[in-house]
Amino acid sequence: MASFPPRVNEKEIGKLLLNLVDHTEVVRDLTFAPDGSLILVSASRDKTLRVWDLKDDGNMMKVLRGHQNWVYSCAFSPDSSMLCSVGASKAVFLWNMDKYTMIRKLEGHHHDVVACDFSPDGALLATASYDTRVYIWDPHNGDILMEFGHLFPPPTPIFAGGANDRWVRSVSFSHDGLHIASLADDKMVRFWRIDEDYPVQVAPLSNGLCCAFSTDGSVLAAGTQDGSVYFWATPRQVPSLQHLCRMSIRRVMPTQEVQELPIPSKVLEFLSYRI
């Protein structure tokens, strides 16, 4: 016999389930753990991240402290073991979500870091900053693997801390693990391949503030400061078998374990996203 999902009680639709009250300032971002545990992390201008368990009536499990200023954005790694948070500072914070401790701070940006996103295999971390740059990091060792600039020549550190009309507002990884999108104040949305220095496609967008790929990666949605949402068909490419194998391996192996494999150096560099 065919089984059907339980009928939804219409009286429950739209009902307020929980009201999580503990932050003392504006809540800027929210992210659920991808493992289905209903663990929620909130990022706030009160300089903290708070971890909530929605299966336990919204009990607040932990407060993550370390930011010295506003926290703008946060993102879980695909396996839910790691959290990245960024805010009104030059540092990128990585947290161990099993122990609720800070793993490390990633240093390299020259202005506030405002957005972050992990690649689908968890091997890469993209961060966007007002310093006109998007960095791609190896979150397991803190190395900067790639840099995507939005102002040429890129501003030197002494100038990158000011207004430059190229502030990057948002960055998002495509689910193919090959492309990212970025929004900047120069009224452009850019699509990049992670192995190329220049955008593969550019489109006009004024007042862009946030962006996200659809699940299949075929559409990018972008929200603007004037209340609009725009959609684009994204550049698409069939991933190579090598890349699919790399993603499969990197989903279960951090960089440290990959580097211990008895394999040729070129294969090691490929698995580490260094070529």
Side-chain angles (χ1 to χ4, degrees):
M1 294 180 60
S3 60
F4 299 92
R7 185 179 180 85
V8 176
N9 185 344
E10 293 185 359
K11 294 182 179 180
E12 297 296 316
I13 297 176
K15 178 183 177 181
L16 177 64
L17 301 178
L18 292 170
N19 183 17
L20 308 180
V21 180
D22 202 70
H23 281 294
T24 59
E25 259 285 3
V26 173
V27 176
R28 286 291 305 263
D29 199 15
L30 299 166
T31 183
F32 275 101
D35 59 7
S37 62
L38 288 184
I39 298 298
L40 174 72
V41 175
S42 54
S44 171
R45 285 185 179 177
D46 66 12
K47 307 176 186 178
T48 70
L49 299 124
R50 295 173 191 259
V51 185
W52 314 84
D53 185 354
L54 299 193
K55 286 185 177 178
D56 186 19
D57 295 327
N59 177 50
M60 189 180 69
M61 302 167 58
K62 200 71 177 177
V63 179
L64 304 181
R65 304 182 188 275
H67 286 269
Q68 301 300 309
N69 214 318
W70 298 354
V71 188
Y72 287 146
S73 181
C74 56
F76 269 102
S77 62
D79 65 359
S80 301
S81 67
M82 192 183 304
L83 181 84
C84 176
S85 62
V86 297
S89 74
K90 302 173 185 177
V92 176
F93 290 72
L94 290 177
W95 307 87
N96 181 318
M97 295 307 289
D98 295 323
K99 301 178 180 178
Y100 302 113
T101 57
M102 188 188 302
I103 301 172
R104 62 175 59 89
K105 288 196 294 185
L106 307 181
E107 306 282 354
H109 279 296
H110 307 297
H111 203 325
D112 292 355
V113 189
V114 294
C116 57
D117 197 20
F118 282 92
S119 63
D121 59 4
L124 302 174
L125 171 68
T127 57
S129 170
Y130 291 164
D131 68 7
T132 77
R133 297 166 172 93
V134 167
Y135 283 154
I136 306 295
W137 310 77
D138 183 329
H140 300 287
N141 59 24
D143 291 345
I144 298 175
L145 302 179
M146 299 154 229
E147 176 183 333
F148 300 124
H150 296 65
L151 179 62
F152 298 96
T156 59
I158 194 171
F159 293 109
N164 50 47
D165 298 324
R166 299 293 191 278
W167 284 3
V168 188
R169 298 283 181 174
S170 183
V171 65
S172 181
F173 249 107
S174 173
H175 295 269
D176 64 8
L178 287 174
H179 295 88
I180 66 168
S182 64
L183 308 183
D185 283 352
D186 61 355
K187 302 181 180 180
M188 304 295 284
V189 54
R190 292 170 172 82
F191 299 94
W192 311 78
R193 269 187 63 102
I194 61 171
D195 53 2
E196 296 185 12
D197 294 332
Y198 297 95
V200 295
Q201 194 168 324
V202 177
L205 177 70
S206 297
N207 300 313
L209 191 60
C210 59
C211 63
F213 281 95
S214 61
T215 302
D216 66 357
S218 64
V219 174
L220 181 80
T224 66
Q225 299 179 49
D226 56 12
S228 299
V229 179
Y230 295 85
F231 299 90
W232 286 272
T234 63
R236 303 194 71 188
Q237 182 173 342
V238 177
S240 66
L241 180 59
Q242 291 96 325
H243 175 66
L244 294 175
C245 291
R246 173 170 61 182
M247 290 185 66
S248 297
I249 292 171
R250 293 311 308 270
R251 282 190 178 98
V252 297
M253 296 187 72
T255 303
Q256 293 84 348
E257 293 183 12
V258 169
Q259 292 174 341
E260 295 175 358
L261 294 174
I263 54 179
S265 60
K266 286 296 182 182
V267 178
L268 178 60
E269 290 177 5
F270 179 76
L271 290 178
S272 302
Y273 286 93
R274 295 182 178 274
I275 57 173

